[in-house]
Each structure stands twice: as structure tokens, then as C-alpha cells.
Amino acid sequence: MSSKSEKARYVACTAVLLALLVGLQLVTKAFGQFVTGSCVNLVLAVAVLCCGPASGLTVALLSPFFAFLLGIGPAFIQIVPFIALANAVYVLLIHFLGRKNRFAGLGAAAVCKFAVLYLLVAKLLVPTLGLPDAKMSVISAGFSWPQLVTALIGGLLAAEIAPLVKKAVK
């Protein structure tokens, strides 16, 4: 970022997308994981596709913490850093792999985000929380295949929406 106007654009774009993501989580929470998760991944992908990797990474890392603080994220703070990490993997892979083939990059990003969440949350973290088996099963299920589905939906929607957003912003 070389000029003050570029820095201002980055800050404004990132702030708007972060606010949009948290707002969408608030509005869609009652509709369940598939709607909310797809919206989250849509905004993450739009952030990186429209505003660049720094903006995408900022939104990816901060949004789970804001969601937790507002009571719309996971019930356990221990899960939040893993969500931030998985979000970061998602936006970085969209950025780096999507340059050659947008849809292959989005697909790989979705698979990797799912893998990070499943392995780190469902397999590694949840068993250490000392929860009843039924509660562990519910949390683990939420961090399994639905993560892949919502990442794919959000990414595919972003692939269609991002070019329109870029055009409108210019």
C-alpha cells in the first residue's frame, strides 16, 4: 500500500466486510449452520477476492472473536482460535490457488478449511473439553462435513458476486 488513499480504501473495505459478516451472523443465526456458515464463507471469499489477501485475512482472523464476544459464535472460547485459523487457511488458499483457476482454488480452500476444523476441533479439541458424550457428538458433528458444504456454497456464491462487487466499487 503506497498511498494514503489505498490505505484508507483497505481500512474502509475491511471494516465494512467485518461489520457485514458479524451482522449476517446475527441475522441468520436462527436459520442454522448451513445458512449462517454459507454467509460467513461468502463474505470471507468476497473480502479476499475484492479487497485482497490482507483484508481477507483480517476479516478471517477477527470475525470469530467478535462473534464469540457477541454471543453468536461457538459456546467455547477454546474453539475460536481454530475457527480463525481455518478461516485464514480458506482466504489464503482462495488468494493463492484461485489465481490459476478460480473454481479449483475455491474447492481446495473449502476442503482444507473443512480438514482444519474437523481435525483440530472435532478430533483434537472437543475430546479434551470434558463434556458429556452427547454434547461432544453435537459439537463434533457441527465441525465435520457441514463445514465443507458451507465453504463450498459460500465460495461458489462469492465467485459469482465478487466480480459484480469489484465493478460496482470502481
Side-chain angles (χ1 to χ4, degrees):
M1 283 183 248
S2 58
S3 71
K4 286 184 181 182
S5 64
E6 287 178 33
K7 289 177 185 174
R9 184 176 177 271
Y10 158 77
V11 169
C13 185
T14 303
V16 166
L17 288 166
L18 185 57
L20 176 64
L21 193 148
V22 172
L24 279 170
Q25 286 178 300
L26 278 167
V27 171
T28 64
K29 185 177 180 182
F31 297 111
Q33 180 177 4
F34 289 103
V35 173
T36 302
S38 297
C39 289
V40 166
N41 288 302
L42 166 64
V43 175
L44 292 174
V46 166
V48 70
L49 292 171
C50 292
C51 302
S55 181
L57 205 51
T58 301
V59 174
L61 294 172
L62 291 178
S63 61
F65 291 95
F66 285 129
F68 177 80
L69 292 172
L70 293 170
I72 54 176
F76 300 96
I77 187 67
Q78 299 93 322
I79 296 174
V80 174
F82 295 116
I83 295 171
L85 174 64
N87 286 348
V89 166
Y90 186 67
V91 299
L92 289 174
L93 288 176
I94 289 171
H95 174 70
F96 289 113
L97 299 179
R99 291 178 181 176
K100 299 256 183 213
N101 182 316
R102 178 174 41 170
F103 292 105
L106 290 165
V111 169
C112 289
K113 179 178 181 175
F114 151 72
V116 167
L117 286 171
Y118 181 71
L119 294 173
L120 295 180
V121 176
K123 292 297 180 188
L124 182 68
L125 178 65
V126 170
T128 69
L129 294 176
L131 301 170
D133 288 344
K135 184 88 168 164
M136 280 194 337
S137 292
V138 169
I139 295 171
S140 293
F143 286 96
S144 66
W145 65 270
Q147 295 294 331
L148 176 60
V149 173
T150 60
L152 286 169
I153 291 170
L156 290 173
L157 290 172
E160 298 303 317
I161 292 171
L164 302 173
V165 171
K166 278 180 121 172
K167 188 175 179 181
V169 169
K170 290 183 181 193

